[in-house]
């Protein structure tokens, strides 16, 4: 279905979306560059022209039960408390696919500094940032650009991003910008430590040994993403990031007070509230696949805001690309009553399927169902 805005665009003279996307990309200035240039009206390429599945659903302003928050205090030194945490995580992963954690061991001063460093980079002079701008993800381990799916996606997101590969072979420190080098290295160490703990808890929640998921290479690669959502002149016509599921096993997200992250739950959009010091955890498509749908990968989005910038920092865990290992439902959890839902696939096969959809609302996992 095409919206009124899209119908208007189709009759608007001299509008060539592909040409304007190309010009935007070649500017290497990102969304921030538009604001720096004095833009006060949303450029056409950012107008949300398509009515995508789920867009029409309402926002649950006062959900009876919000996103769960789990306190990790005692997870490493209290066996009984660890069992309770495992049960809480199991419930959150089965019913929400999202939860927040506190007492995770990362100091508040480090959370503040990584957010501030992402902001510092994105607010550098455009000419300085241009040297990092590229879409050749495989060739560099630190890159800056705007919109992963700029030419494939149905919607151009009001967001710029930096990406740093931090495991298994991290980016050379000399390739990181001065304004964020030290904190990216230190924060990534903490995120990797925390990610390994969470994978242990996920394994235990499925009745497996603590190292099961780690031994499957689920935590082999960690990419750190620093998102910058500038204030939007017409937020009601734009989107920070459109409806999607994450193409990994696990995401550890640090957000700020601006808000805008929404999760689809029971056919309604539920806000993920900002909690000072908390981290947002969500399970990705690949964890849903290997858990045979026991853990849910959930659709989520970020709304544009008139205020900002909104800063978020995400740690993505997955196997390296390419990894020859076949990923499929874990055989140890399959039974006659719980047969495999998906066929096995490599990380490369799955990512190619995910990228081919361009985040158009088509679930990539559906392509691997038996």
């Amino acid at each position: 279905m095409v919206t009124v805005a899209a119908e208007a665009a189709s009759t608007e003279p001299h509008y060539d979306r592909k040409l304007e996307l190309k010009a935007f990309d070649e500017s290497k200035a990102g969304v921030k560059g538009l604001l720096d240039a004095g833009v006060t009206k949303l450029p056409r390429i950012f107008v949300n022209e398509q009515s995508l599945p789920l867009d029409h659903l309402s926002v649950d302003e006062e959900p009876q039960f919000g996103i769960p928050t789990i306190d990790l205090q005692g997870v490493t030194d209290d066996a009984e408390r660890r069992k309770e945490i495992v049960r809480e995580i199991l419930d959150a992963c089965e019913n929400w696919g999202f939860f927040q954690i506190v007492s995770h061991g990362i100091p508040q001063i480090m959370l503040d500094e990584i957010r501030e460093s992402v902001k510092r980079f994105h607010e550098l002079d455009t000419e300085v940032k241009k040297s990092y701008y590229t879409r050749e993800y495989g060739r560099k381990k630190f890159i800056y650009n705007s919109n992963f799916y700029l030419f494939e996606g149905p919607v151009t997101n009001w967001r710029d991003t930096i990406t740093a590969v931090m495991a298994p072979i991290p980016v050379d420190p000399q390739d990181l910008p001065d304004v964020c080098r030290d904190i990216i290295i230190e924060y990534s160490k903490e995120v990797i430590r925390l990610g390994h703990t969470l994978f242990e808890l996920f394994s235990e929640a499925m009745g497996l040994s603590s190292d099961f998921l780690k031994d499957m290479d689920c935590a082999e690669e960690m990419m750190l993403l620093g998102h910058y959502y500038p204030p939007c002149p017409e937020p009601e016509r734009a989107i920070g990031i459109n409806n999607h599921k994450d193409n990994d096993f696990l995401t550890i997200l640090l957000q700020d007070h601006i808000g805008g992250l929404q999760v689809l739950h029971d056919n309604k959009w539920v806000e993920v509230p900002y909690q000072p010091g908390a981290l947002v955890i969500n399970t990705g498509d690949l964890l849903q696949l290997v858990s045979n749908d026991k853990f849910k990968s959930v659709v989520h989005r970020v709304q544009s805001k008139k205020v900002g910038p909104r800063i978020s920092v995400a740690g993505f865990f997955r196997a390296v690309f390419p990894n020859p290992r076949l990923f499929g439902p874990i055989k140890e959890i399959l039974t006659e009553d719980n047969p495999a839902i998906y066929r096995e696939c490599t990380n490369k096969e799955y990512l190619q399927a995910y990228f081919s959809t361009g985040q158009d609302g088509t679930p990539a996992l559906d392509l691997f169902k038996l």
Side-chain angles (χ1 to χ4, degrees):
M1 183 174 69
V2 179
T3 64
V4 173
E7 292 172 357
S10 66
T11 60
E12 188 176 305
H14 313 304
Y15 175 63
D16 186 327
R17 178 173 173 79
K18 289 184 179 179
L19 190 63
E20 292 198 15
L21 287 172
K22 185 172 183 290
F24 171 72
D25 191 47
E26 291 178 348
S27 76
K28 299 183 178 181
V31 176
K32 175 66 164 55
L34 297 174
L35 291 187
D36 292 342
V39 166
T40 57
K41 183 179 179 182
L42 194 69
R44 278 236 48 88
I45 61 171
F46 293 96
V47 174
N48 191 354
E49 296 180 341
Q50 290 186 304
S51 179
L52 296 173
L54 311 178
D55 278 351
H56 68 285
L57 297 177
S58 62
V59 176
D60 194 348
E61 301 289 354
E62 296 182 1
Q64 184 178 3
F65 302 103
I67 305 292
T69 297
I70 299 175
D71 190 336
L72 296 187
Q73 185 70 41
V75 72
T76 60
D77 56 11
D78 184 333
E80 289 306 310
R81 175 57 190 147
R82 186 179 178 103
K83 291 178 184 177
E84 292 176 4
I85 292 170
V86 167
R87 287 193 291 269
E88 291 173 21
I89 284 178
L90 176 61
D91 182 70
C93 290
E94 287 183 333
N95 295 300
W96 282 90
F98 265 78
F99 57 95
Q100 302 206 55
I101 57 172
V102 295
S103 304
H104 44 67
I106 304 181
Q108 183 66 50
I109 191 171
M110 187 175 285
L111 301 180
D112 294 340
E113 176 57 19
I114 188 64
R115 265 192 307 247
E116 186 59 32
S117 74
V118 169
K119 183 172 183 286
R120 282 198 302 267
F121 175 86
H122 286 288
E123 294 181 353
L124 286 172
D125 183 89
T126 299
E127 292 305 312
V128 175
K129 291 189 293 184
K130 280 183 178 180
S131 64
Y132 298 101
Y133 195 99
T134 183
R135 295 197 174 277
E136 298 180 17
Y137 291 98
R139 297 187 62 184
K140 292 186 176 182
K141 291 190 174 182
F142 179 85
I143 64 174
Y144 149 68
N145 64 27
S146 185
N147 281 259
F148 299 128
Y149 311 98
L150 182 66
F151 298 101
E152 299 86 6
V155 180
T156 308
N157 296 318
W158 191 257
R159 181 188 70 170
D160 298 330
T161 300
I162 55 174
T163 303
V165 177
M166 301 307 297
I169 303 174
V171 58
D172 187 324
Q174 297 308 308
D175 292 334
L176 292 169
D178 292 344
V179 295
C180 53
R181 177 183 297 129
D182 292 345
I183 187 60
I184 281 181
I185 293 170
E186 293 307 310
Y187 182 71
S188 293
K189 292 176 182 176
E190 290 295 310
V191 170
I192 291 169
R193 172 195 60 77
L194 177 59
H196 286 186
T197 297
L198 289 168
F199 276 115
E200 290 178 5
L201 298 172
F202 290 152
S203 296
E204 292 168 29
M206 286 189 281
L208 304 167
S209 63
S210 297
D211 292 334
F212 198 98
L213 290 173
K214 288 189 291 182
D215 290 345
M216 283 177 56
D217 297 336
C218 298
E220 184 180 25
E221 179 180 83
M222 198 283 281
M223 292 191 308
L224 197 71
L225 280 60
H227 300 307
Y228 184 96
Y229 300 82
C232 184
E234 299 178 84
E236 69 283 354
R237 305 180 70 201
I239 190 75
I241 181 168
N242 53 296
N243 310 340
H244 71 287
K245 298 182 179 182
D246 284 355
N247 59 14
D248 61 359
F249 287 96
L250 166 69
T251 305
I252 298 177
L253 176 76
L254 170 67
Q255 61 172 345
D256 68 8
H257 65 286
I258 297 296
L261 175 61
Q262 297 178 340
V263 173
L264 188 67
H265 182 71
D266 289 344
N267 277 331
K268 287 189 177 182
W269 291 104
V270 178
E271 295 275 353
V272 180
Y274 169 65
Q275 292 188 53
L279 292 167
V280 180
I281 309 299
N282 69 281
T283 49
D285 269 7
L286 290 169
L287 194 55
Q288 178 170 331
L289 184 149
V290 300
S291 72
N292 206 42
D293 276 0
K294 188 173 187 66
F295 294 165
K296 306 302 182 188
S297 178
V298 178
V299 175
H300 52 288
R301 67 184 183 185
V302 174
Q303 296 289 72
S304 294
K305 297 280 187 174
K306 194 82 172 179
V307 295
R310 176 186 187 268
I311 307 294
S312 68
V313 186
F316 274 62
F317 288 85
R318 62 188 184 198
V320 296
F321 180 84
N323 181 318
R325 179 188 287 272
L326 287 171
F327 292 98
I330 296 169
K331 292 180 174 57
E332 285 80 353
I333 65 173
L334 299 179
T335 65
E336 284 188 15
D337 296 329
N338 181 37
I341 297 171
Y342 304 100
R343 67 175 176 85
E344 293 183 323
C345 64
T346 63
N347 192 38
K348 181 178 181 180
E349 283 181 284
Y350 163 74
L351 288 174
Q352 285 177 335
Y354 184 92
F355 295 145
S356 71
T357 68
Q359 291 192 329
D360 65 358
T362 304
L365 282 185
D366 283 0
L367 302 176
F368 298 95
K369 283 189 172 180
L370 293 170

